[in-house]
Amino acid sequence: MTLAHSPSAASTTSRRIEAVIFDWAGTLVDFGSLAPTQIFVDAFASFGITVTLAQARGPMGLSKREHIRQLLAVPEIAAQWRDKSGADANDHDIDAIYERFMPMQIAKVGDYSQPIAGAAEVLDSLREQRIKVGSCSGYPRRVMDVLLPLAARDRIVPDHVVAGDELAAGGRPGPYMALANVIALGIGDVRCCVKVDDTTPGIEEGRRAGMWTVGLSLSGNETGQTVEALAALDDAARAQCRETAATRLYDSGAHYVIDSVAHLPRALADIARRLSEGQLP
């Protein structure tokens, strides 16, 4: 595991990991972060606008309304909208796409609620170590209300959940959802928290909140492959996917990058060691 930055030393060696705050799609559930991506493509298509899967993945990690705003700013997509409507997209258009997107996302999120291998075991291990489990998502609360009970059947039950539309301050890449977890969980030091995410805005969120950050290279948005598609790649192609994703995640500020949540215990052990030695993120 390669470090992006060398942290400063602390004056005390008594710190320990207090909480781990997870993203959802591509991190705990939905290997490849497929559910939101295809729905963006479908929602825009319903307005006669073609959005590629690669374009749809670009702003992943933002709140869904902001994601739509960012897509409408992509030159190729903006040009299509002008051709269709005769004007640039405005807030009313963003609202219209968002309202079209929401029922489609609610209807489909359950199809992608399967946990990523190792996620439940990692959450169990954290609780055994008395480490609190937070979470936040770009999904709105209406989507999370569908996803949460389905995930709970598979033992994916964080101690706290913040949805992407719940905070007046906004979402990623700002620190607000991560810090809302800190407050709700009663954490005493943000520097003893770890943010785990598969998107660059999610890593930025953790860094801005003053936390350790762990990026996921193969299970989430940066690679965007199903388990089966990834397994079908030869070693060289899979290594290229890993390297490309890791570069983007490190560039956004990740302290560590691992393949998936199943590999998190090793990264956490290293963070715990560094905290015990007085290092800070």
Side-chain angles (χ1 to χ4, degrees):
M1 293 172 287
T2 305
L3 300 182
H5 298 281
S6 296
S8 58
S11 60
T12 177
T13 58
S14 62
R15 291 184 174 89
R16 59 180 289 275
I17 296 173
E18 294 187 38
V20 180
I21 300 168
F22 294 90
D23 176 50
W24 277 86
T27 299
L28 290 174
V29 300
D30 185 10
F31 194 104
S33 193
L34 303 173
T37 312
Q38 185 60 52
I39 304 304
F40 280 119
V41 172
D42 295 343
F44 273 82
S46 72
F47 287 86
I49 305 298
T50 299
V51 174
T52 68
L53 285 172
Q55 288 171 330
R57 286 193 179 281
M60 200 64 72
L62 302 178
S63 69
K64 300 315 175 195
R65 190 183 297 276
E66 182 59 26
H67 192 131
I68 291 168
R69 186 187 303 277
Q70 293 288 327
L71 287 177
L72 285 168
V74 173
E76 297 85 353
I77 298 171
Q80 290 185 66
W81 191 271
R82 282 193 298 271
D83 289 343
K84 290 284 184 181
S85 67
D88 290 331
N90 55 34
D91 286 345
H92 174 78
D93 300 320
I94 292 168
D95 290 343
I97 299 171
Y98 183 79
E99 291 306 319
R100 188 76 56 86
F101 168 87
M102 280 300 299
M104 298 167 74
Q105 184 71 91
I106 290 169
K108 287 292 185 180
V109 69
D111 295 342
Y112 299 90
S113 66
Q114 294 79 11
I116 291 172
E121 291 76 12
V122 165
L123 297 191
D124 289 344
S125 175
L126 292 175
R127 291 199 170 91
E128 289 171 4
Q129 299 172 67
R130 300 190 305 280
I131 296 173
K132 294 179 180 179
V133 180
S135 70
C136 50
S137 175
Y139 280 143
R141 175 52 68 173
R142 284 183 283 171
V143 176
M144 292 305 296
D145 285 344
V146 175
L147 176 58
L148 289 173
L150 297 173
R153 297 176 190 173
D154 294 306
R155 302 182 7 245
I156 308 298
V157 187
D159 300 320
H160 190 64
V161 179
V162 179
D165 62 345
E166 290 187 311
L167 302 179
R172 301 166 184 154
Y176 315 110
M177 292 196 292
L179 293 177
N181 274 275
V182 169
I183 294 168
L185 297 172
I187 303 304
D189 191 337
V190 294
R191 298 169 297 180
C192 296
C193 295
V194 182
K195 177 69 199 303
V196 183
D197 207 295
D198 66 300
T199 69
T200 57
I203 295 298
E204 292 180 48
E205 169 193 23
R207 288 303 299 255
R208 293 185 187 190
M211 301 176 178
W212 299 89
T213 54
V214 180
L216 306 178
S217 61
L218 293 185
S219 70
N221 181 68
E222 293 303 324
T223 294
Q225 300 274 2
T226 64
V227 173
E228 296 76 16
L230 195 61
L233 298 177
D234 60 32
D235 290 345
R238 194 177 307 109
Q240 184 60 56
C241 287
R242 180 184 291 112
E243 180 179 352
T244 300
T247 297
R248 285 178 53 81
L249 292 162
Y250 279 130
D251 285 349
S252 69
H255 293 96
Y256 299 81
V257 175
I258 57 179
D259 286 358
S260 76
V261 67
H263 301 88
L264 185 61
R266 183 182 171 200
L268 293 182
D270 199 58
I271 292 170
R273 173 190 64 78
R274 296 172 71 186
L275 281 171
S276 73
E277 294 173 353
Q279 297 184 52
L280 297 174

